[in-house]
Amino acid sequence: MTVPSGRRERKKAATRQKIADTALRLFLDRGFDDVGIRDVAAEADVAVTTVFSHFASKEALVFEQDKDFEQRLTQAVTGRAPQEPLIPALRREVQALVRHCTADSAAPIWRMIDASPALREYEESMRLRHAEALATAIAADPALSQTTTACRTIARFAIDAYSLAREAADPQTALDEIFRMIEAAWAATCPPGNSGHSADTAGP
């Protein structure tokens, strides 16, 4: 989670985290469908309006790091070193996200998500939003000189790589295989000499 600056921002962030932690505990204990927003608010000792001021929906409580994940993905593009190829930078960030989401502590959460149509639908819409944000970041980089279609395609590939690797029996091997294909796809669209491409850096 991004650490906010300022006393007011820190207090808001602490309240948000308390609500999210409380909701997740209740969801895992009782089941997602059997816990309402009022239950979360009462357990967290806040008003229902306070819950909604931090989270737009009940489903959003499960994915409280949504914005942080999106920011990390876009910063893999915007924050990479000068002349650093795009695909290895994306691969590092996706690998970190996969590692986070395949930790033993995350397993009960993903079982809950997989068992809930509402949560699966929310997770899919979240991935599409992340892909669009990532595509926008890629398109805005003048060093990459790609069409909108190419930017959106590579962004979708990267987001799908995260999902496919997370679900694989061997996430690391899956990620290696997927990013070899992503690298090849990116290389096929890059003009010669484009600094966003390096054919030798996306292997295992």
Side-chain angles (χ1 to χ4, degrees):
M1 181 176 176
T2 303
V3 179
S5 59
R7 185 171 181 271
R8 183 170 180 271
E9 288 75 16
R10 289 195 299 271
K11 185 176 179 181
K12 285 178 62 177
T15 299
R16 186 181 191 279
Q17 192 63 54
K18 178 183 178 183
I19 293 169
D21 291 345
T22 300
L24 187 60
R25 175 169 54 81
L26 291 177
F27 294 155
L28 291 174
D29 286 347
R30 305 182 194 173
F32 180 76
D33 292 334
D34 293 330
V35 176
I37 292 293
R38 290 183 181 277
D39 298 319
V40 174
E43 187 73 13
D45 195 24
V46 297
V48 170
T49 53
T50 301
V51 176
F52 281 117
S53 72
H54 289 279
F55 298 94
S57 68
K58 179 182 168 183
E59 290 77 18
L61 286 160
V62 177
F63 299 95
E64 62 95 10
Q65 295 190 55
D66 176 2
K67 290 184 179 179
D68 286 337
F69 283 176
E70 182 175 305
Q71 184 179 53
R72 286 174 59 176
L73 287 163
T74 57
Q75 284 183 343
V77 179
T78 61
R80 72 189 196 284
Q83 305 303 314
E84 181 181 7
L86 172 68
I87 303 304
L90 276 180
R91 185 182 187 279
R92 281 197 305 273
E93 191 53 55
V94 171
Q95 185 172 19
L97 294 178
V98 169
R99 191 178 299 117
H100 173 85
C101 291
T102 54
D104 290 344
S105 59
I109 300 171
W110 285 107
R111 283 196 295 270
M112 176 180 68
I113 293 169
D114 290 340
S116 168
L119 288 174
R120 291 200 307 272
E121 182 178 349
Y122 187 93
E123 198 261 343
E124 182 177 355
S125 69
M126 182 180 70
R127 285 192 285 112
L128 290 174
R129 285 189 285 105
H130 290 179
E132 286 302 308
L134 182 56
T136 298
I138 295 171
D141 190 327
L144 300 178
S145 302
Q146 287 287 356
T147 65
T148 298
T149 298
C151 294
R152 295 185 72 193
T153 300
I154 290 299
R156 288 284 185 93
F157 285 171
I159 299 300
D160 285 347
Y162 155 75
S163 297
L164 291 168
R166 180 185 66 78
E167 296 167 359
D170 185 342
Q172 183 61 56
T173 298
L175 204 62
D176 292 340
E177 182 179 2
I178 294 165
F179 265 90
R180 280 195 293 270
M181 290 186 281
I182 293 175
E183 181 74 41
W186 183 249
T189 64
C190 277
N194 189 309
S195 65
H197 160 59
S198 173
D200 300 323
T201 51

